[in-house]
Amino acid sequence: SAGRRRRPAPFKARVDDFWRWFAAHERRLFNELQDGSLDPAELGAKVDAVTPVLAWEMCPSPEEGREGFTVSAEGSPSVRLLVEALLDAAPPLEHWTLFGSKQPGEGMRSMRVGDRGEFAFADFRFAVDFDAESERLSIQVHHPRFSELGPEIRSQLTFLALEQALGEDLIDAWVGPVEDTPERTPDQKYGVQELRRQVRAALELNDLDPDLDLSTQWTGYSLPEQGDGDLEARADVLTGTSRTMGPIRGLFDADFDDELAGTGACFAYALLPVDDL
């Protein structure tokens, strides 16, 4: 009926609509990016129509004669599943290389944050240490203007500078504590390029892959013994692995924050009879 609310389109249908549009306009978008006339609002609206939880940006492509198009989950394991589904559905493209995470920057020289003006990447200095036991990097970040900025802006600039230096996947996989410091310390001697080399060398020295594919990684977990009715899933499943722990935690927490809400996709629990295993 006219008064019935229309059900939102499922994620797959939104993805199919996006790639039909992108494939039809890929040459125009490529030319506009190269001559500086690309309207980011047009492409942004199309990505938002898939789901607004996705971030995107243009970036250089390692392949000659192509440009890069990045779609990012911005650190969310749940949304990363949507990114992978989006890129898996992409048609063959003549002019574009697709990425599922933000890449280390090569061409950007500065960034602007609100009304704070330009912050040159060349002015950032980093200190880095590797903890072999936790297999995590700790990084300190300094910029000469940090002393005039509040913690929130410093944190934002720190994260953007690290993405520029290392790329999103390496940060998610291997970076632990990060500290922004208004005062520069003697250990903060590396620029963006030097930090990248130091980090990759530290990981390779410890037989760790700086280019780890996060889509192949899983998390092990164990659940405490539960009484009847405490879980929607079977109470006798005590251990397992998961690409994302959100749905597992949702079994215990009625206020579970579902990052897929409104995306046209959802998590589903499948109960498998133990005899089948």
Side-chain angles (χ1 to χ4, degrees):
S1 67
R4 182 179 300 169
R5 294 185 63 182
R6 184 177 180 182
R7 178 176 297 178
F11 181 74
K12 184 179 184 302
R14 303 181 197 186
V15 167
D16 291 343
D17 287 344
F18 174 80
W19 287 123
R20 276 193 292 268
W21 173 84
F22 194 96
H25 295 273
E26 68 154 321
R27 179 70 189 186
R28 172 178 66 84
L29 296 170
F30 175 83
N31 291 338
E32 289 177 352
L33 180 61
Q34 293 209 317
D35 65 24
S37 64
L38 179 70
D39 179 10
E42 179 189 20
L43 183 54
K46 294 297 182 180
V47 175
D48 283 350
V50 178
T51 171
V53 301
L54 300 178
W56 68 275
E57 66 180 20
M58 301 302 192
C59 65
S61 169
E63 302 175 67
E64 186 175 355
R66 300 168 75 91
E67 295 286 356
F69 176 53
T70 294
V71 183
S72 168
E74 295 194 306
S76 166
S78 299
V79 177
R80 184 180 282 271
L81 299 174
L82 302 187
V83 171
E84 293 170 16
L86 173 66
L87 298 187
D88 285 346
L93 298 172
E94 182 179 356
H95 305 292
W96 296 91
T97 302
L98 304 178
F99 299 99
S101 64
K102 294 180 181 178
Q103 303 299 293
E106 298 292 346
M108 292 181 63
R109 296 184 177 180
S110 65
M111 56 185 166
R112 177 179 291 273
V113 178
D115 59 357
R116 301 289 183 168
E118 295 287 330
F119 292 81
F121 286 114
D123 292 337
F124 281 91
R125 289 296 179 268
F126 305 87
V128 60
D129 188 40
F130 180 75
D131 185 335
E133 183 175 353
S134 65
E135 295 187 340
R136 287 293 182 270
L137 297 150
S138 59
I139 299 177
Q140 290 185 335
V141 185
H142 172 77
H143 189 278
R145 292 180 56 194
F146 272 1
S147 60
E148 65 189 66
L149 303 174
E152 185 175 345
I153 298 295
R154 291 203 309 267
S155 178
Q156 184 179 0
L157 288 166
T158 292
F159 183 73
L160 292 172
L162 284 179
E163 279 193 339
Q164 176 76 8
L166 305 177
E168 182 181 353
D169 279 357
L170 191 151
I171 293 172
D172 286 350
W174 302 119
V175 172
V178 175
E179 180 185 6
D180 56 80
T181 60
E183 300 297 328
R184 183 176 174 182
T185 68
D187 291 336
Q188 292 170 333
K189 57 187 177 182
Y190 302 120
V192 168
Q193 298 289 344
E194 292 85 359
L195 175 69
R196 188 180 306 166
R197 288 193 289 268
Q198 290 292 324
V199 162
R200 295 184 68 88
L203 292 173
E204 290 169 354
L205 184 64
N206 288 273
D207 296 323
L208 301 173
D209 183 5
D211 301 310
L212 185 69
D213 181 359
L214 292 183
S215 69
T216 67
Q217 303 306 298
W218 301 75
T219 298
Y221 65 90
S222 61
L223 303 180
E225 188 78 34
Q226 300 290 320
D228 293 340
D230 287 347
L231 290 177
E232 293 182 24
R234 292 179 63 107
D236 55 356
V237 178
L238 300 180
T239 62
T241 59
S242 176
R243 279 286 306 279
T244 170
M245 289 300 296
I248 306 302
R249 297 189 184 99
L251 288 172
F252 300 96
D253 186 358
D255 296 325
F256 165 57
D257 183 18
D258 183 3
E259 293 181 289
L260 302 190
T263 65
C266 62
F267 290 112
Y269 294 96
L271 306 184
L272 305 178
V274 68
D275 290 345
D276 292 348
L277 303 178

